[in-house]
Amino acid sequence: MKILGIESSCDETAAAVLEVRVHRFTLLSNVVASQINIHKKTGGVVPEVAAREHTNTIISTVRAALEQAGGWSRAQARPQSVRSHSLGSRPKIDLIAATAGPGLITSLLVGAETGRTLAYAWNIPFVATNHIAGHIYSSLLTNQPIQYPALALIVSGGHTELQLIKKNRHLRCLGRTRDDAVGEAFDKTAKLLGYPYPGGPALSKAAVGGNPRAVPFPRPMLNSKDFDFSFAGLKTSVVYHLKALQRFSRADVAASIQQAIVDVLVAKTVRAAKKYKVKTVILAGGVAANRTLRTHLADHITALGKQLILPRAEFCTDNAAMIAAAGYMSKTTPWNKLTVNPNWELGR
Ligand code: KG4
Ligand code: ZN
């Protein structure tokens, strides 16, 4: 089957076509229109600006994904009598999956409404997909089978959570952040140090060659018995010590912030993996693109003799291939029963 995935929950407009044959996943196209350059000007995402941009780019993004997947001829795509941003006739697609939450409500609406309108017009089954499930199932794109029970650490700009995936594939949220998400911790501390939005990639680049033990930043909730996280204290610590930090090189400060975050994430994931005797650990979400996190987690999880699935970096940050994969794992939604939920929680 071929699945069209659509993603617009935050600041990327994305569409992809994924082919699934006997549980093997082949990506036929993967188009991501990033809004990073627009949000750089304001140092963060302004929801109304993001939604307007999604509206401008959603049709051309979906069309590009369909064209690149080859299931749709260009002649069909642009009949002369129709305006250039129209979509034309039915492509060879068996399922349409669009993100319906969590995320920014006005941004979510653009992709979800586009998805269900196409599903109705083309008479194709539709599935309203959870964005976090998308991050988790980006692991399927590696074609490494997940062994259950599995544990997923989802680390993104909006979320930090540990999800236990049981044999029947039901999810149970073991813990989550009580304040800032990991991506926010990266972005906010990076902003304080003068790096442009989004700070995560910039801070991790600046950390290369730095001494990760140079500055003893706090590691909140490292030893708490639960699986919750807290990252707001890290930002506060940087605010308080901004002057004192000038004694250190930028690389040392960046490496120390990164290490404080990685230490907490790895310790809690290892503890949960042991406690619930999971067979597979999945790292997912935008921050999963971070090399230090990937290598530290890999060292610890392989030492436990467990399988670790690390999606390729391009599938860690928001994309629609992961939404198509999660759509494959989810139940279909009648197009007229769609509800977009900006606070859609998984495993609770
Ligand atoms: O999953 P994602 O693309 O969007 C959300 O659903 O939030 O995650 C974006 C987040 C941003 O906070 C960005 O700074 C962070 O992922 N990020 C990174 C890296 N690449 C992206 N953080 C640390 N190191 C990276 N290499
Ligand atoms: Zn995301």
Side-chain angles (χ1 to χ4, degrees):
M1 72 186 294
K2 284 184 188 165
I3 307 167
L4 168 66
I6 300 175
E7 155 64 30
S8 71
S9 66
C10 186
D11 57 351
E12 326 276 1
T13 319
V17 178
L18 182 68
E19 187 172 50
V20 191
R21 265 192 210 177
V22 211
H23 300 295
R24 268 201 83 75
F25 297 81
T26 309
L27 195 53
L28 302 181
S29 65
N30 186 34
V31 181
V32 182
S34 174
Q35 302 179 359
I36 281 183
N37 284 334
I38 293 166
H39 301 305
K40 249 184 190 151
K41 292 176 201 149
T42 42
V45 179
V46 177
E48 201 44 49
V49 174
R52 232 176 291 153
E53 196 54 26
H54 286 305
T55 311
N56 288 338
T57 47
I58 190 80
I59 298 296
S60 56
T61 306
V62 170
R63 190 175 59 204
L66 289 169
E67 282 180 3
Q68 286 172 28
W72 215 40
S73 75
R74 275 167 192 274
Q76 270 182 324
R78 291 199 199 90
Q80 288 197 329
S81 59
V82 184
R83 284 193 300 164
S84 64
H85 59 262
S86 77
L87 274 164
S89 56
R90 188 189 196 280
K92 290 184 186 117
I93 293 291
D94 306 293
L95 179 70
I96 297 177
T99 309
L104 303 170
I105 181 71
T106 45
S107 290
L108 284 166
L109 279 168
V110 178
E113 289 295 344
T114 303
R116 79 149 152 186
T117 304
L118 293 176
Y120 170 74
W122 288 336
N123 197 19
I124 295 173
F126 175 73
V127 50
T129 309
N130 182 288
H131 182 82
I132 301 300
H135 278 304
I136 294 173
Y137 291 117
S138 64
S139 55
L140 295 175
L141 302 169
T142 65
N143 281 312
Q144 291 168 270
I146 301 170
Q147 299 168 54
Y148 301 96
L151 177 72
L153 170 66
I154 302 107
V155 280
S156 76
H159 298 270
T160 305
E161 44 193 76
L162 275 167
Q163 291 276 356
L164 181 66
I165 315 166
K166 298 183 201 158
K167 273 207 176 94
N168 58 7
R169 293 196 196 140
H170 279 157
L171 297 171
R172 183 176 146 205
C173 184
L174 301 179
R176 54 173 50 185
T177 184
R178 293 187 181 176
D179 39 56
D180 288 351
V182 188
E184 264 180 299
F186 268 107
D187 294 345
K188 286 180 178 172
T189 52
K191 196 172 178 180
L192 288 167
L193 298 172
Y195 296 105
Y197 169 86
L203 194 120
S204 70
K205 213 167 149 196
V208 175
N211 173 6
R213 308 282 164 201
V215 190
F217 284 112
R219 282 147 172 78
M221 300 186 69
L222 181 69
N223 298 313
S224 69
K225 291 222 158 46
D226 53 25
F227 295 105
D228 281 347
F229 302 90
S230 165
F231 291 102
L234 186 60
K235 174 195 63 193
T236 312
S237 171
V238 174
V239 173
Y240 279 162
H241 301 109
L242 214 44
K243 263 217 166 116
L245 289 176
Q246 285 170 5
R247 286 190 287 121
F248 299 91
S249 74
R250 286 170 81 83
D252 281 358
V253 175
S256 299
I257 291 172
Q258 180 172 258
Q259 195 62 50
I261 293 172
V262 168
D263 282 353
V264 178
L265 292 174
V266 171
K268 295 243 160 168
T269 307
V270 166
R271 215 154 44 72
K274 283 187 189 162
K275 178 168 177 185
Y276 293 96
K277 299 187 174 52
V278 302
K279 295 185 177 148
T280 300
V281 175
I282 296 164
L283 177 63
V287 181
N290 184 278
R291 278 173 175 271
T292 306
L293 176 59
R294 290 168 89 90
T295 48
H296 278 255
L297 196 63
D299 288 349
H300 284 79
I301 297 301
T302 41
L304 291 179
K306 299 184 189 295
Q307 178 197 32
L308 176 67
I309 304 186
L310 291 171
R312 278 194 353 228
E314 65 189 284
F315 301 126
C316 290
T317 46
D318 289 351
N319 65 85
M322 69 181 200
I323 299 304
Y328 175 71
M329 302 293 277
S330 313
K331 285 200 185 100
T332 55
T333 320
W335 68 269
N336 53 351
K337 293 271 157 50
L338 168 77
T339 30
V340 170
N341 181 357
N343 302 316
W344 186 357
E345 292 187 347
L346 272 188
R348 293 238 152 183

